[in-house]
Amino acid sequence: MMLDVLSPFRAWKNLFRDPVTVIDPLNDRPGAARYRGFHQNDVDLCIGCGTCEAICQNAAIDMVPVKQLEAPGKDSGLRPKIDYGRCCWCALCVDVCMTGSLTMSNEYKWVESDPEKFRFIPGVDKKYWDDAELGYHRPEDYHLTPHTRAEMGEMEADERISNFDEIVYGYTREQAIIEADRCVSCGLCVATCPAHMSIPDYIAAIRDGDYEGGLKLLYETNPFSQVCGRVCTHRCETVCSAQHEGDPIAIRWLKRHITDNVPAEKYAEIIGGKEPDTGKKIAIIGAGPAGLTTAFDLAKMGHKVVVHEANSGPGGMARYGIPEYRMPYDVLDHEVSVIESLGVEIKYNTRIGKDIAMEELQKDYDAVLLSIGLHLGRSTRIIGTDNPAVAKAVDLLRDITNGKKVKVPETVVVIGGGNVAMDIARSVARLQKQTYGEVKLTVTALEDFDHFLADPEEVKESFEEGINILDARGPQEIVIDDKGKVTGLRTWKVKSIFDEDGRFNPSYDETDEIIHEGTLVIEAIGQMSDVSLLGEDLTEKLEWSRGRIVVDPDGRTNQEWLWAAGDCVHGPDIIHAVADGHRVAKSIDKHIGKAKAKSKK
Amino acid sequence: MRELYEKLKTRFPLGEFTDQRDNLGFITVDKDQLRPVLYHLRDHEGFSHLVLLTAVDWIEEDRFQLTYLLSNRTRSVDVGLRVMLDRGEPVMETIHDIWPTAATYQCELREMFGIDFPDSPGVMDDFILEGWDDLPPYRRDFDTKKYSDETYAHREGRVTHDPAEYMKKQLYPDEV
């Protein structure tokens, strides 16, 4: 009680404090330090993801093109334009902003007679408060979406090195929910994905626990969803808006999570369904992602599709180029069985040019697609590469897939720094571990680690498995002893890879020489197509550019009956091959539909 | 804070306790236990001041939560009492007779959440939403965006673009 009586006198203690009132309130009326005034946007930081527009409860934000910013691939090219006739200054847009580019100044007094002036693009339409330091900024530790990716379980190095079992376990439901909840559905991933998979929608399906609906969405754009859920180059993740203040969403793992959670026997029922038979027949050469995606689409359109495959199993580069520990064969087989369930016929061990002539295909079918991948390894052509103890990565990877007994010696050197180099190195390391109990393998890459070609996780996992990767080493000569046996590889330190004109022309520091010990040297420096099947006539007729067949935007060659797609046209990338397959299928359907009279039995 | 909770527990049936920090705790009490607990806190524990009365819409659980925040000014300690209401029948006894200021909070909650406090003075008066005839706007099933779209005219000439579609056209100009 006493305190309550005395409390008015306590105010006296403030007598000598500085006043908090403004001295000249008529002229000087600054907003409070964290006042939510007119917006500021750092347009270089902004990625135009539109999350501000999506969260605005007053529909005050439009996403509009800003010409001077257009750099395809980096961001959407749009920036938020705010209608201050509707903005209620709640700052939800600032709180949700994925890059932190959008903030608010403490300026609020701006007056104009023209109402149109109150619609502008912050940061683009210059305003005097653009550089104001005070105003509302999202507090540093305040995030509406978590920044860290849900952890993925995987086998430890010493557990995985002695076998070819799949390394990654896949998300549990709990992990997937945590990861799915981080997505703001901006869709920059959809734009970037060559196949334009409906990523935010299938992530929403995970949230809702609707795996069958999710699977349906996946297969609308990608009949290799199980494959891509494991080994996709995931360009989607490189544009993900979540990466600017945290980890990008693990889109690839979420995709796999859906495919893991639908029973295998239900796939065909969920994905299937086709148009009535058209009586048209299409021949496809090569049962890889490009060929089989085309087959999938064309079969759904009601066409008869026969796929000719030189190997004994389906999947193309996805099977014969990617090791089983990344891409289990039974998953691939299941993927292909879904495509076969649509009536697609696959003839294995059938090599065009040997078992069937190209002309025969042209004669018997309404259209032919060439999707033959890149099964020939390139050589460095340094001295000694003609020795039998010098192998090409693609050949060895194919032998391993075919279950051939591949004999690896105790010491091996791999030339190359891309993902294929990592694939063969890690495969050989497993075989070494099985045979000798230890890994003795050196990878020599032309690029330095700052410009490395292989995925960072491949490099990291290779090191964990005991593989020695040396960067910036240029191969000079296969070292061969006087009995003709390979004993190693001689390399020089790379000074630069490209010359002043940007041409491939490495220069070396010859004083920095290393002999890498190895009785087998494997070249993994690139692949090319085996186009010998085309025959001289056709090869002559086709248009070529740098060893690849030239096609129009729809994938058609200059021969009206022949299309080409996949790695053999665009270089190695599964999701690109899938996108290619869709494009070509559409084009083939369009052209054989027109040419009805040409149909043969 | 736990001390106070244990002490109260000997007299009243209490729900969950949250020890927020040294001078702040929350206690869940049953609807019909609120008044006796409030009286006790005010008259015997020195919580003479009602700091605020607010609500949360736990739509997933089909409940409203009322929070009565009380302060003991001498000891600088605050305690919050949580009362859960059935969302389908959001009615609560008024406490304006204990703290007259509660009438204002109750008027606001009636307007913003649609929680009724019968016999609270002026509880049906407009608080800040004059002539409101829609769902109470703090209810989570109230669609703010839809309301704003329908209520406030859009300035002419506004055009927006879908970031995904716009970016796709730039990246893949050949696609139709």
Side-chain angles (χ1 to χ4, degrees), chain A residues 89-376:
Chain A
W89 318 89
C90 71
L92 271 179
C93 52
V94 174
D95 284 344
V96 83
C97 178
M98 298 306 284
T99 61
S101 70
L102 195 64
T103 56
M104 283 165 124
S105 71
N106 68 338
E107 179 53 54
Y108 67 100
K109 308 181 301 287
W110 182 51
V111 176
E112 280 283 344
S113 53
D114 176 6
E116 270 312 308
K117 291 267 168 63
F118 287 92
R119 273 181 62 212
F120 59 86
I121 310 171
V124 174
D125 300 328
K126 295 296 170 205
K127 301 290 172 195
Y128 65 82
W129 55 81
D130 283 348
D131 299 321
E133 280 180 20
L134 296 180
Y136 180 74
H137 303 152
R138 185 182 52 202
E140 212 157 274
D141 52 355
Y142 179 54
H143 314 297
L144 292 182
T145 53
H147 284 177
T148 331
R149 194 176 259 215
E151 211 172 307
M152 169 63 92
E154 57 177 55
M155 261 197 280
E156 294 294 328
D158 52 348
E159 195 185 339
R160 68 189 186 230
I161 184 64
S162 55
N163 56 66
F164 281 79
D165 295 348
E166 185 167 23
I167 294 173
V168 172
Y169 296 147
Y171 274 149
T172 61
R173 167 102 187 125
E174 290 70 31
Q175 289 166 327
I177 289 291
I178 291 173
E179 194 55 19
D181 271 345
R182 303 201 306 120
C183 170
V184 294
S185 307
C186 67
L188 298 192
C189 47
V190 182
T192 308
C193 172
H196 307 303
M197 298 196 72
S198 39
I199 296 159
D201 292 346
Y202 70 67
I203 290 181
I206 294 176
R207 264 187 236 125
D208 299 343
D210 177 16
Y211 290 107
E212 295 191 6
L215 194 82
K216 206 173 166 55
L217 283 173
L218 291 182
Y219 281 78
E220 274 170 13
T221 49
N222 188 350
F224 281 86
S225 290
Q226 295 180 80
V227 171
C228 285
R230 289 173 166 79
V231 296
C232 186
T233 44
H234 56 85
R235 276 193 258 171
C236 49
E237 294 180 23
T238 66
V239 294
C240 176
S241 60
Q243 73 182 311
H244 295 273
E245 296 204 325
D247 300 330
I249 309 295
I251 299 171
R252 182 170 56 170
W253 299 148
L254 288 176
K255 175 165 39 247
R256 172 174 167 183
H257 177 70
I258 295 176
T259 64
D260 283 351
N261 281 279
V262 176
E265 63 275 11
K266 280 200 134 175
Y267 271 60
E269 177 197 324
I270 295 167
I271 297 156
K274 51 189 280 194
E275 302 285 315
D277 279 354
T278 61
K280 299 288 168 63
K281 268 173 85 181
I282 296 105
I284 290 174
I285 309 170
L292 289 182
T293 300
T294 313
F296 179 80
D297 284 3
L298 289 173
K300 274 180 158 277
M301 294 166 185
H303 303 304
K304 171 73 190 158
V305 183
V306 181
V307 182
H308 304 267
E309 170 58 50
N311 283 302
S312 59
M317 297 306 293
R319 186 188 202 91
Y320 294 95
I322 299 176
E324 197 178 6
Y325 59 82
R326 289 214 288 142
M327 188 60 250
Y329 303 139
D330 54 345
V331 175
L332 201 45
D333 287 340
H334 174 236
E335 198 87 290
V336 174
S337 75
V338 176
I339 298 168
E340 284 175 306
S341 75
L342 291 165
V344 171
E345 186 187 341
I346 306 178
K347 291 183 171 166
Y348 294 109
N349 302 308
T350 308
R351 190 172 280 280
I352 304 302
K354 190 169 138 249
D355 302 309
I356 303 177
M358 197 73 184
E359 295 78 37
E360 253 177 90
L361 294 184
Q362 183 189 355
K363 188 157 61 63
D364 294 346
Y365 293 87
D366 294 285
V368 179
L369 169 67
L370 196 65
S371 51
I372 53 173
L374 300 164
H375 290 276
L376 287 184

Side-chain angles (χ1 to χ4, degrees), chain A residues 53 59 62 70 86 192 196, chain B residues 148 152 158 160 166 172 175:
Chain A
E53 180 190 19
D62 294 324
E70 276 178 19
R86 298 185 71 90
T192 308
H196 307 303
Chain B
S148 131
Y152 306 109
R158 279 186 57 177
T160 191
Y166 189 81
Y172 300 92
E175 286 177 17

Side-chain angles (χ1 to χ4, degrees), chain B residues 52-69:
Chain B
L52 57 85
L53 166 54
T54 188
V56 182
D57 182 359
W58 298 111
I59 193 167
E60 294 85 355
E61 297 161 26
D62 208 22
R63 293 196 294 187
F64 285 120
Q65 173 189 325
L66 291 172
T67 303
Y68 298 78
L69 192 65

